[in-house]
Amino acid sequence: MRLTKSKLLIGACLMLPLMQACGDDDSPAQPIHVDKTLLVVDAVPATHTIGYYTTQEIPIDRMEVSTDDTWIHIVDVTSADFSFDVDANTSTEQRTGAIYVTYQGNSETPPITIAIRQDGIPTP
């Protein structure tokens, strides 16, 4: 069988998707995707909900939603969203906190960070 330029080109085109799948990026695919990575909230206390979806089957007990901030409180985690409360911001200064969403089934997958920015109370 004689290789012509057209057969070689067709073969290269057929191999391209396989070559791309074997790229240098060895980082694991993020199995969790959230609706927002930044949420700006009012100074008043309130409950907020952020939706998410997964690209693979993740048992709800393997999802961890956490925060290190004392004014943010995780309320509920379901298979489609999570809810959290924020305390009132009694300062005129804006404050920023974070919520971390982690899949505990894969230690190589970094947590997703959601920034929560809360307005301060208006100055009189």
Side-chain angles (χ1 to χ4, degrees), residues 16-92:
L16 186 59
L18 295 174
M19 293 167 53
Q20 289 175 338
C22 299
D24 291 336
D25 186 10
D26 291 334
S27 60
Q30 180 58 263
I32 303 167
H33 301 273
V34 295
D35 291 345
K36 301 172 186 169
T37 56
L38 170 65
L39 184 65
V40 179
V41 299
D42 293 330
V44 298
T47 300
H48 301 276
T49 301
I50 295 179
Y52 72 89
Y53 70 93
T54 61
T55 56
Q56 57 187 265
E57 187 73 26
I58 298 177
I60 193 70
D61 62 339
R62 302 302 295 265
M63 287 280 299
E64 181 181 355
V65 180
S66 62
T67 184
D68 296 329
D69 297 288
T70 58
W71 56 276
I72 301 173
H73 313 280
I74 307 303
V75 176
D76 190 30
V77 179
T78 72
S79 62
D81 57 33
F82 59 89
S83 301
F84 62 96
D85 291 340
V86 293
D87 294 341
N89 185 357
T90 57
S91 170
T92 57

